[in-house]
Amino acid sequence: MDIATIVGLLLGIGFTVWGILESGSLWDYYDFASIVITLGGTVAATFLAYPLKDIVKIGKVFQKAFLYKATSANEIIEDIIKLANIARKEGLLSLEEYGSKLDDEFLKKGIMLIVDGTDPDLVRNILETELMFLEERHGQGQGTLEAMGSFAPAFGMLGTLIGLINMLQKMDDPKAIGPNMSVALITTFYGSFLANVIFLPLAKKLNVRSKSEVLIKELMIEGLLSIQAGENPRIIEEKLKTFIPPEMRSSIKKEQLGKEEA
């Protein structure tokens, strides 16, 4: 469970509710017709913009924003260094036994390609192609949320125009101007709230996670090719540490020192 996503969502809703209560009542911001126009219009436009197979996955897209299994760059580097030492002592064919015990399917696939004696350029090509399609799959979910984030304010504005038209038609009744103007503005509020508190932040969160996962996969590719080339494990370690921030590099050193002392 991603605590930051939950905290951010709760804070966004909480501060909005607090601002409303400071100046009025939550009931004043409820209008069923405005909800139907804004939320219903957003859903309808999403169905128009995307095929059904992408729409049915939207639940999983939201789920991924809240539930996420992070892959530690430190652990991946340690696994690769361990594999490099095994390959150096026992040969590349010995990696098959150890590779089959790994949890990461991408890393396991790369090891199997190396064990099979695949040309290094072909190994890189295969893994980078898989990585490219991984990014594309991630981009589909992000794109759906970003589209909903752009549709919501547009339908909020559409509801506002409907409210203004109704207000202008009743200009001869001063008592109807205030309520109609209020309803007109509420739809804009709904659209802005949905876009900026829910859809766009979640799309950004998925984008950040996608970049992090791609970086880990690129680290794996570089490490696997270095093992195949027979490079020194120490050199491989220094090469892979350039993929991560300096503060994480120091944590790797501390972990390694602890293991050596043990």
Side-chain angles (χ1 to χ4, degrees):
M1 183 70 72
D2 189 342
I3 302 300
T5 302
I6 296 174
V7 170
L9 184 60
L10 292 177
L11 287 177
I13 296 172
F15 284 134
T16 302
V17 171
W18 175 80
I20 291 173
L21 294 177
E22 281 292 302
S23 57
S25 169
L26 282 175
W27 188 252
D28 295 334
Y29 284 77
Y30 171 77
D31 183 74
F32 182 72
S34 298
I35 294 174
V36 171
I37 292 171
T38 308
L39 187 57
T42 299
V43 172
T46 305
F47 270 88
L48 283 170
Y50 290 90
L52 185 60
K53 64 180 180 66
D54 291 339
I55 300 296
V56 296
K57 295 177 183 176
I58 192 66
K60 292 183 178 180
V61 173
F62 278 103
Q63 185 180 14
K64 287 179 180 178
F66 292 93
L67 299 174
Y68 178 65
K69 183 180 179 180
T71 302
S72 171
N74 293 351
E75 292 178 2
I76 295 298
I77 292 177
E78 288 177 2
D79 287 338
I80 290 175
I81 298 306
K82 187 185 299 182
L83 291 169
N85 282 313
I86 293 169
R88 194 175 179 85
K89 295 175 182 177
E90 304 175 24
L92 289 175
L93 292 177
S94 63
L95 294 178
E96 183 173 6
E97 177 185 352
Y98 294 93
S100 61
K101 299 176 183 177
L102 296 172
D103 296 328
D104 192 284
E105 292 299 325
F106 187 85
L107 185 57
K108 188 184 296 184
K109 180 176 182 177
I111 290 172
M112 292 303 111
L113 289 171
I114 292 174
V115 170
D116 291 340
T118 310
D119 182 77
D121 290 336
L122 184 56
V123 173
R124 180 183 291 276
N125 188 32
I126 292 172
L127 295 179
E128 287 184 347
T129 300
E130 183 166 337
L131 185 57
M132 180 182 67
F133 283 106
L134 173 71
E135 289 184 85
E136 186 175 332
R137 290 194 299 272
H138 288 179
Q140 289 174 351
Q142 298 163 28
T144 304
L145 289 179
E146 288 171 353
M148 295 177 77
S150 64
F151 293 147
F155 277 97
M157 183 58 65
L158 180 62
T160 297
L161 294 174
I162 293 172
L164 290 175
I165 291 171
N166 291 336
M167 183 190 73
L168 293 173
Q169 289 177 341
K170 299 177 181 179
M171 287 294 289
D172 56 339
D173 183 6
K175 293 182 180 180
I177 295 176
N180 280 318
M181 178 61 106
S182 176
V183 170
L185 293 177
I186 285 174
T187 53
T188 300
F189 166 76
Y190 286 157
S192 181
F193 178 84
L194 288 172
N196 295 292
V197 177
I198 299 177
F199 298 137
L200 295 180
L202 291 182
K204 183 63 177 177
K205 173 59 70 73
L206 291 177
N207 178 260
V208 170
R209 286 181 179 167
S210 177
K211 289 182 178 179
S212 176
E213 185 173 349
V214 168
L215 179 64
I216 294 293
K217 295 288 190 289
E218 290 175 345
L219 184 152
M220 291 179 186
I221 293 173
E222 194 62 42
L224 290 169
L225 292 173
S226 297
I227 292 174
Q228 189 177 26
E231 295 180 11
N232 187 295
R234 188 66 183 171
I235 300 300
I236 296 176
E237 178 186 349
E238 293 301 323
K239 183 190 296 186
L240 297 184
K241 284 194 293 187
T242 60
F243 282 79
I244 59 178
E247 59 270 18
M248 290 183 67
R249 298 177 201 172
S250 61
S251 67
I252 292 176
K253 292 179 181 178
K254 290 178 181 177
E255 290 175 9
Q256 289 175 341
L257 284 174
K259 290 179 181 179
E260 289 173 2
E261 291 174 358

